[in-house]
Amino acid sequence: MIRLKNVSKFYKSTKAVDDISFEVKEGETVVLLGTSGCGKTTTLRMINRLVEPSSGKIVVNGQNILEQPAEKMRRGIGYVLQHHGLFPHYTVAENISIVPNLLKWSKDKIINRTRELLEKLQLSQTLGDLYPSQLSGGQQQRVGLARALAAYPPVLLMDEPLGALDPVTRVGIRKEFTTLDELKRKTILMVTHDVQEAFELGDRVCLMDKGKIVQIGKATDLLFNPINDFVRSFIKEQHFQLELENIFINDIWSLLPKAIDGTNENKISPENSLWQVLETVSARQQGFERFVSINNNDKKQIEIASLMAAYTQYKNSFNHE
Amino acid sequence: MNEQQQTLWNFMAQQSDKLLQQTLAHIGLTFISLFLSILIGIPTGIWISRKKKWSGPVLGIAGILQTIPSIALLGFMIPLLGIGARPAIVALMLYAFLPIIRNTYTGIIGVNAAVTDAAKGMGMSPSQILFKVELPLAMPVILAGIRTATVINVGVATLAAYIAAGGLGEFIFGGIALNNTNMILAGAIPAALLAIIFDFLLAKAQHFNIKKAKTAFIAIPIILIALSSFYLLPSAIGSKMLAGFTPEFMGRSDGYLGLKNKYGLNIRTVVISDAVMYKAAYEKQLDVISGYSTDGRLKAYDLVVLKDDKTIFPPYYAAPIVREEVLEKYPELEPALNILSGKINDSIMTELNYRVDYLKQSPEKVARDFLTQQKLYKKPRNGKKGIIQMGSKIFGEQYILLQIYAILLKGNTDLSVETKTGLGGTKICFDALTNDQIDLYPEYTGTGLLVVLQPDNHTIQSIIGNKESVFDFVQKEFMRKYHIKWLKPIGFNNAYTLMMRKKQASDLKIRTISELKMYIDDN
Ligand SMILES: Nc1ncnc2c1ncn2[C@@H]1O[C@H](COP(=O)(O)OP(=O)(O)OP(=O)(O)O)[C@@H](O)[C@H]1O
Ligand SMILES: [Mg+2]
């Protein structure tokens, strides 16, 4: 759990972070989003004391970070950087075992943990003996994550962890991140300036501008209840896609037509977003198959026309709130 | 060529003891100083990488240290640290500072910020970051600095021979002074080889996988200490008295070897440069030195000449040598030049040299004062009968003599005078004379014999002990071979001698080299 209360950071001429307060609950993922220079990195680095706050209070796991030795505190917080920051003179395996070594784990335990992480992050075991410069950008970033996770830190700070990757690799690794069990239970604060990434990875999104928080809330809050024009314009460009990605079959269940029983059914999980469904359905355009979604004993017909109708109705319901 | 190699090889084989000792001393000097420089330089480099505002001043000072000429730096060290190993090591250490501090600094500054950031973020302490991240990653750059420093030190360490610290410079400078090519090469070749070998080894170390940087941490100090231990100061044999001799004196049969053979003198010696020797004696770093009997510093540093009672040092009586043709053309020339004959003894010449070399008075003024005092000064007649071209070698005593002759000629004849001072050494002066570019210059009997005429060894031995025989020999041979006439000697003998501090010599009642030997043997 991370809590910031009235935290500010001033440099001589700039207010990098200006009186912000928010909380990341246990097991929650909050994404800091905003334009370049709005203070995201500064906010993140104040939490592991790479930057000392000018004022305010920061609590991690119930303890004021200023009231404990910085180094000890940092070993309990995983930290992933944009430019991975892997040690070029350490092998992949040695990089992953840095924090366990600092914590004086036994050799066996370290070896086992390294093996486990390589496997979980879909890195072949043989990579363990290579040096970071011998890896691809995507592999380097995964090793960076493995290193941050090595000593089971309950809290994870990630500063644009995918920022240095090409868009295709980026989407691929993002998918993996969402399915990684190690990440599911963690309290995560992540920085990005990619709106789509923020909405996909964050339980909540915190939009910043000029050192202040503009709006913090669920993806749908920012999409459908933007607090001001800044929020609206920030997500405007990809608005339609973002909406489709952030509305799930479950959300519009009641607005969909009932399915008629029949043969040749393709089942789609109600956990899917509209975007995923549209992708699946349009990929089989000429098919004669029918798509249905089943939730408990309820069965809904999935067709492009009915989906779009339900989507419009759903959106309108927000406007009437 | 083959013969040359052969003799070089012979020389090295003959002198293998000395060669080995000098090489080991050289390696030792290089690495003790390098070790100290690393010990101080790397922490300094680390420190300025933390406190960047100090980087400018610190690197600036290290840079200035390196621009001080080596000889001057060694000279500065003597009043502070005396002569011998200590000042040499300190001077070499100062030279090595710049590459080591600068490369440590740039190496650390150059470490990717994301890496140190990650290290800090993972909870490494500042010292863990330094030793596990920054130094290993900066190691190739630091090693490059050490490599530069090593090569510099191998080179500069040759100069350590100037201040009695030993090393291959003893052969190199001895060889230069004695014009002995084999001796020069016997010092220069091993020195060059050392530079090449160490450069090569360190280049290897530098291109090691950075992974091995950890090994380098431990290996480098151990290797350095091992190499440093080669340096053993020449052990004390014989007396408590210490003699400092120039490389030239050490190598000459009419120098140190003669002292050993003819006097049986057994004194502890170090090799030292003429430039610092007198001062070192004055400051009681040395008790006995070799020198020239009319050197102005004899007076400046309150030293006294020991009498060469067995005459092992060849006579170096000064006299003007003139082309016969010119003497015939202007008969008044010879009597005018001979006016000076017998007028300057050793102590007068020392005094005159002292005024020029030490008090920095102009040779003209010194010459004029001298002649006035001797009542020999006459106003110039401004005659137009002819021009006499006079030359001199490039040091104070010759300048003074030339000015004296100029005044004498202008005052006593109708000849006018042109002077060409600073014709380098003997060879240049003598060639100028035989090629009619000058008409006369002051020369020394010993030089005429040993440098110009170079008769066989047997002839030399038969006459060298007697100053008249030497004079007669050179006078006869110069006339026969070159039609050059030696006029009457001026009086002083600028020969090799041994010197001591006046006070010490009188306290110990030592006046001659034999008495010195007796004193040493008794104690
Ligand atoms: N050490 C520093 N000294 C002075 N100003 C700084 C320092 N660090 C950050 N700033 C300033 O503080 C502001 C916020 O910087 P920060 O790095 O937190 O932005 P950011 O949101 O992470 O930007 P980006 O998306 O480009 O990474 C910027 O105006 C920056 O110039
Ligand atoms: Mg940033």
Side-chain angles (χ1 to χ4, degrees):
Chain A
M1 185 251 0
I2 305 169
R3 194 167 65 232
L4 282 77
K5 196 147 186 285
N6 304 109
V7 174
S8 298
K9 177 67 192 180
F10 303 137
Y11 292 107
K12 261 173 226 141
S13 52
T14 40
K15 291 181 172 180
V17 173
D18 189 4
D19 190 25
I20 64 170
S21 305
F22 69 89
E23 191 178 347
V24 187
K25 296 193 195 74
E26 185 113 25
E28 188 187 26
T29 300
V30 171
V31 177
L32 290 176
L33 181 66
T35 47
S36 185
C38 71
K40 306 181 293 291
T41 297
T42 308
T43 305
L44 199 74
R45 288 163 65 89
M46 280 192 288
I47 294 166
N48 61 4
R49 284 181 69 182
L50 292 178
V51 172
E52 295 289 327
S54 307
S55 65
K57 189 176 164 192
I58 300 174
V59 175
V60 176
N61 292 333
Q63 271 197 297
N64 186 333
I65 57 156
L66 296 177
E67 284 167 5
Q68 42 187 325
E71 281 132 29
K72 187 161 166 278
M73 186 265 308
R74 287 182 191 131
R75 289 171 198 173
I77 299 179
Y79 183 42
V80 185
L81 296 89
Q82 173 175 1
H83 297 285
H84 61 77
L86 296 175
F87 291 3
H89 56 310
Y90 278 30
T91 61
V92 166
E94 285 170 333
N95 263 289
I96 295 175
S97 31
I98 291 172
V99 183
N101 268 321
L102 291 175
L103 295 172
K104 307 216 158 51
W105 285 14
S106 73
K107 262 214 173 96
D108 287 349
K109 196 173 164 195
I110 293 177
I111 291 174
N112 289 336
R113 178 61 175 152
T114 308
R115 229 181 251 142
E116 179 187 26
L117 280 166
L118 284 175
E119 194 179 302
K120 279 192 179 167
L121 285 156
Q122 315 196 358
L123 293 161
S124 104
Q125 294 296 334
T126 52
L127 292 186
D129 295 328
L130 298 185
Y131 286 90
S133 58
Q134 296 169 294
L135 305 184
S136 74
Q139 288 169 326
Q140 287 171 344
Q141 215 51 48
R142 281 185 210 151
V143 175
L145 181 64
R147 184 174 71 171
L149 293 172
Y152 307 106
V155 175
L156 202 57
L157 304 175
M158 302 203 265
D159 194 349
E160 311 208 25
L162 307 175
L165 303 177
D166 65 275
V168 177
T169 317
R170 200 172 165 135
V171 170
I173 297 189
R174 204 157 80 200
K175 289 258 147 60
E176 287 172 25
F177 274 25
T178 54
T179 55
L180 202 65
D181 64 334
E182 292 243 2
L183 287 175
K184 287 203 174 120
R185 297 179 304 274
K186 292 213 187 297
T187 308
I188 299 174
L189 184 61
M190 187 180 119
V191 167
T192 182
H193 52 237
D194 183 322
V195 186
Q196 227 170 315
E197 195 169 289
F199 283 22
E200 185 172 333
L201 297 177
D203 295 322
R204 284 190 299 150
V205 174
C206 173
L207 183 62
M208 292 181 65
D209 183 35
K210 299 192 185 104
K212 287 185 180 296
I213 295 177
V214 184
Q215 187 171 3
I216 180 164
K218 293 213 172 69
T220 44
D221 289 342
L222 270 75
L223 275 169
F224 303 120
N225 271 327
I227 202 168
N228 60 18
D229 283 346
F230 177 80
V231 182
R232 206 167 287 126
S233 68
F234 197 85
I235 50 184
K236 187 177 69 189
E237 265 170 41
Q238 298 146 308
H239 201 264
F240 182 58
Q241 189 188 344
L242 286 170
E243 283 179 354
L244 293 178
E245 280 176 346
N246 287 285
I247 299 171
F248 299 87
I249 300 288
N250 268 335
D251 296 333
I252 54 170
W253 191 259
S254 59
L255 305 172
L256 290 172
K258 262 206 165 344
I260 311 134
D261 282 335
T263 53
N264 214 7
E265 285 175 349
N266 285 313
K267 295 190 184 71
I268 290 176
S269 155
E271 310 269 299
N272 278 330
S273 70
L274 293 189
W275 182 263
Q276 288 166 313
V277 176
L278 286 172
E279 268 183 338
T280 325
V281 174
S282 54
R284 310 256 184 97
Q285 255 170 358
Q286 312 124 300
F288 296 98
E289 305 106 309
R290 287 179 329 125
F291 290 90
V292 296
S293 186
I294 300 169
N295 197 358
N296 298 331
N297 289 325
D298 214 1
K299 191 156 136 194
K300 297 285 188 177
Q301 187 81 13
I302 305 288
E303 286 163 333
I304 292 181
S306 58
L307 277 177
M308 292 322 287
Y311 156 74
T312 317
Q313 256 184 302
Y314 178 78
K315 259 178 69 174
N316 284 342
S317 70
F318 276 93
N319 295 343
H320 296 301
E321 263 176 21
Chain B
M1 185 66 206
N2 207 359
E3 205 169 304
Q4 167 85 27
Q5 277 176 358
Q6 197 58 42
T7 50
L8 171 62
W9 188 241
N10 286 346
F11 181 87
M12 288 170 112
Q14 261 169 29
Q15 304 277 336
S16 62
D17 272 4
K18 258 193 178 173
L19 186 61
L20 182 69
Q21 185 202 334
Q22 288 185 15
T23 308
L24 292 183
H26 205 92
I27 297 173
L29 270 179
T30 305
F31 285 95
I32 291 176
S33 54
L34 192 67
F35 183 64
L36 292 175
S37 195
I38 290 172
L39 220 58
I40 300 173
I42 290 186
T44 310
I46 294 168
W47 181 68
I48 58 173
S49 73
R50 300 287 187 265
K51 307 240 182 280
K52 297 227 174 52
K53 68 173 177 191
W54 284 100
S55 64
V58 169
L59 291 174
I61 292 169
I64 290 169
L65 282 177
Q66 221 178 28
T67 62
I68 301 175
S70 334
I71 288 285
L73 189 60
L74 291 171
F76 292 150
M77 292 291 149
I78 290 179
L80 300 173
L81 297 168
I83 56 167
R86 263 193 305 167
I89 288 169
V90 172
L92 287 172
M93 178 187 81
L94 295 178
Y95 272 112
F97 268 160
L98 182 66
I100 290 176
I101 297 178
R102 188 186 48 205
N103 283 39
T104 306
Y105 173 72
T106 44
I108 289 183
I109 293 290
V111 173
N112 185 348
V115 174
T116 45
D117 222 44
K120 201 174 170 195
M122 284 185 292
M124 285 185 144
S125 67
S127 70
Q128 285 171 327
I129 294 176
L130 178 65
F131 287 108
K132 294 192 167 168
V133 181
E134 291 176 307
L135 284 180
L137 290 176
M139 194 49 74
V141 184
I142 298 176
L143 279 175
I146 293 177
R147 189 177 154 197
T148 312
T150 310
V151 175
I152 292 175
N153 270 11
V154 170
V156 179
T158 54
L159 299 177
Y162 273 150
I163 55 168
L168 290 162
E170 287 187 10
F171 270 159
I172 297 177
F173 296 112
I176 291 173
L178 296 167
N179 199 13
N180 180 338
T181 314
N182 285 332
M183 193 187 265
I184 299 176
L185 292 177
I189 291 173
L193 283 178
L194 285 182
I196 292 168
I197 291 169
F198 291 133
D199 189 52
F200 173 77
L201 291 178
L202 282 162
K204 280 237 140 169
Q206 203 181 338
H207 293 128
F208 258 173
N209 189 332
I210 38 173
K211 183 73 191 161
K212 306 237 169 78
K214 291 175 194 166
T215 330
F217 267 141
I218 306 158
I220 287 179
I222 292 174
I223 293 171
L224 282 179
I225 292 171
L227 289 171
S228 303
S229 66
F230 283 145
Y231 190 70
L232 305 164
L233 273 173
S235 53
I237 4 153
S239 67
K240 282 179 288 180
M241 278 199 153
L242 182 64
F245 296 146
T246 60
E248 179 182 6
F249 188 84
M250 285 299 279
R252 289 180 71 134
S253 58
D254 53 8
Y256 178 62
L257 301 176
L259 284 178
K260 274 210 318 209
N261 297 338
K262 291 228 179 110
Y263 283 98
L265 188 70
N266 184 23
I267 189 169
R268 211 150 51 95
T269 59
V270 291
V271 178
I272 191 163
S273 124
D274 170 75
V276 297
M277 184 172 68
Y278 294 86
K279 192 147 192 245
Y282 175 70
E283 281 167 355
K284 303 186 180 164
Q285 307 285 345
L286 296 171
D287 303 302
V288 179
I289 60 173
S290 61
Y292 295 102
S293 49
T294 60
D295 197 301
R297 287 171 294 188
L298 197 57
K299 182 174 163 66
Y301 291 117
D302 214 19
L303 306 173
V304 67
V305 169
L306 300 187
K307 191 167 161 33
D308 176 18
D309 50 338
K310 292 189 181 170
T311 51
I312 60 159
F313 300 130
Y316 280 76
Y317 284 89
I321 61 173
V322 196
R323 290 195 290 127
E324 190 182 19
E325 192 189 334
V326 183
L327 289 173
E328 280 163 8
K329 191 168 167 195
Y330 304 116
E332 66 272 41
L333 185 58
E334 185 165 349
L337 294 172
N338 277 339
I339 293 173
L340 196 60
S341 168
K343 290 290 187 306
I344 304 181
N345 62 18
D346 287 6
S347 61
I348 295 175
M349 196 64 237
T350 305
E351 165 77 23
L352 300 180
N353 282 334
Y354 168 72
R355 288 169 62 181
V356 170
D357 291 339
Y358 204 77
L359 303 180
K360 305 294 170 202
Q361 296 176 356
S362 78
E364 288 94 322
K365 180 176 156 33
V366 172
R368 201 179 145 146
D369 289 352
F370 167 74
L371 289 173
T372 312
Q373 191 206 353
Q374 297 278 320
K375 305 204 167 32
L376 294 172
Y377 181 76
K378 287 190 184 154
K379 282 222 167 64
R381 291 201 221 158
N382 292 321
K384 299 257 173 347
K385 194 175 166 204
I387 301 172
I388 300 297
Q389 303 277 359
M390 299 200 297
S392 86
K393 300 182 199 176
I394 190 159
F395 55 91
E397 181 169 294
Q398 293 249 326
Y399 296 164
I400 299 169
L401 293 176
L402 217 59
Q403 292 304 329
I404 293 175
Y405 283 129
I407 296 172
L408 287 177
L409 287 187
K410 286 181 198 162
N412 292 294
T413 70
D414 286 325
L415 298 164
S416 67
V417 170
E418 275 182 13
T419 55
K420 288 184 178 164
T421 53
L423 289 174
T426 303
K427 177 131 182 54
I428 299 174
C429 263
F430 184 73
D431 287 350
L433 190 64
T434 50
N435 291 312
D436 301 349
Q437 284 161 323
I438 56 173
D439 301 320
L440 67 96
Y441 77 90
E443 188 52 281
Y444 305 89
T445 51
T447 312
L449 178 71
L450 299 171
V451 178
V452 180
L453 294 173
Q454 299 187 358
D456 59 65
N457 206 25
H458 178 74
T459 315
I460 294 178
Q461 290 311 322
S462 66
I463 57 171
I464 198 87
N466 184 308
K467 65 177 187 178
E468 279 82 21
S469 315
V470 173
F471 183 82
D472 291 345
F473 184 83
V474 293
Q475 193 177 42
K476 196 175 89 221
E477 289 298 305
F478 267 61
M479 184 54 82
R480 186 171 68 81
K481 279 193 181 163
Y482 311 111
H483 299 285
I484 288 170
K485 181 163 185 188
W486 283 76
L487 303 191
K488 288 187 191 161
I490 301 167
F492 66 89
N493 177 14
N494 187 2
Y496 267 136
T497 107
L498 292 192
M499 306 172 188
M500 293 179 69
R501 279 183 303 285
K502 226 178 228 165
K503 172 129 193 345
Q504 191 187 25
S506 69
D507 286 353
L508 302 175
K509 300 196 173 50
I510 296 173
R511 279 156 305 182
T512 64
I513 299 177
S514 297
E515 285 172 0
L516 174 66
K517 176 205 154 33
M518 262 148 63
Y519 172 80
I520 290 170
D521 290 350
D522 289 350
N523 286 273

